[in-house]
Amino acid sequence: AQSVTQLGSHVSVSEGALVLLRCNYSSSVPPYLFWYVQYPNQGLQLLLKYTTGATLVKGINGFEAEFKKSETSFHLTKPSAHMSDAAEYFCAVNTNAGKSTFGDGTTLTVKP
Amino acid sequence: DTAVSQTPKYLVTQMGNDKSIKCEQNLGHDTMYWYKQDSKKFLKIMFSYNNKELIINETVPNRFSPKSPDKAHLNLHINSLELGDSAVYFCASSHEGGVLTYGYTFGSGTRLTVV
């Protein structure tokens, strides 16, 4: 079985500050990990993914995430928040070919 | 040139009615999905089709019936709509096995409101 826990349903940062969105997973086999972003009234868009290889992965819009097996974590970061980053962020884990399991989401608010 | 398109974008209907949501993808993907996102933004898979064959059928009331006429289309028909069916329904697609390495491509969603 696989599961995802996103710590903090709401995160608020000031523009220009570091963004850190937390994701921990549970999986009995090596996981494939994803972050998606959902802007208001839109579908989910893939931000970045970890499959194999380098544990630090870079995605779109300046985001990156690091896979830490020992901590079963895949936290999402961005050095400097922009107003346009305000959105809902979902972490997902996939160990089966058929489907991903999503976390409950984290709402990111960026204050001017 | 939208990759995964859903229609309609908004759907308001009365309890007891039957409605359909259509989805089409032009990415050449083999597998298509329906996800439900509730008011708290929780995402839950409902169905998955691979090349017109049903491969995932989660615990969904049998009032919900997916239909895939070809691998580029996956429609969702809902009978006897209930208030609790109000949600945003997302269609998604991926290559067979590609959801592992490439993830999903999502449509923009259909907001269903049952009154």
Side-chain angles (χ1 to χ4, degrees), chain B:
Chain B
D1 59 345
T2 304
V4 180
S5 59
Q6 297 179 227
T7 55
K9 190 169 177 65
Y10 299 96
L11 184 53
V12 181
T13 187
Q14 290 187 328
M15 279 194 329
N17 284 351
D18 303 339
K19 290 294 178 185
S20 292
I21 306 171
K22 296 186 176 183
C23 179
E24 176 181 4
Q25 56 94 4
N26 62 5
L27 298 166
H29 287 167
D30 307 289
T31 309
M32 296 183 72
Y33 310 79
W34 279 111
Y35 272 84
K36 179 180 180 181
Q37 186 176 48
D38 65 21
S39 58
K40 294 183 179 178
K41 304 218 172 171
F42 298 152
L43 273 163
K44 184 173 167 56
I45 191 168
M46 301 173 70
F47 302 103
S48 172
Y49 268 77
N50 178 264
N51 259 326
K52 302 192 295 177
E53 181 182 348
L54 181 65
I55 55 173
I56 293 175
N57 185 349
E58 295 292 296
T59 309
V60 178
N62 57 15
R63 299 182 294 103
F64 290 78
S65 54
K67 284 186 173 53
S68 181
D70 56 61
K71 75 173 192 176
H73 296 83
L74 179 62
N75 304 323
L76 182 65
H77 188 75
I78 315 170
N79 289 325
S80 303
L81 277 155
E82 300 177 357
L83 293 176
D85 298 332
S86 296
V88 181
Y89 293 84
F90 286 102
C91 179
S93 70
S94 72
H95 281 295
E96 181 180 5
V99 72
L100 267 179
T101 51
Y102 298 105
Y104 299 105
T105 300
F106 280 88
S108 58
T110 296
R111 183 174 295 275
L112 171 65
T113 303
V114 182
V115 298

Side-chain angles (χ1 to χ4, degrees), chain A residues 6-8 10-23 35-37 39 47-48 56 60-66 74-90 106-111:
Chain A
Q6 290 185 239
L7 296 172
H10 290 84
V11 170
S12 181
V13 301
S14 297
E15 192 173 19
L18 171 72
V19 175
L20 170 61
L21 305 183
R22 300 178 187 273
C23 173
W35 275 100
Y36 290 84
V37 61
Y39 297 106
L47 260 183
L48 49 77
L56 181 63
I60 61 173
N61 302 337
F63 284 92
E64 61 183 36
E66 186 170 11
F74 190 57
H75 300 332
L76 181 70
T77 60
K78 181 173 180 177
S80 177
H82 193 274
M83 297 295 291
S84 61
D85 294 327
E88 190 80 16
Y89 291 80
F90 292 92
T106 298
T107 303
L108 175 65
T109 302
V110 182
K111 298 175 292 186

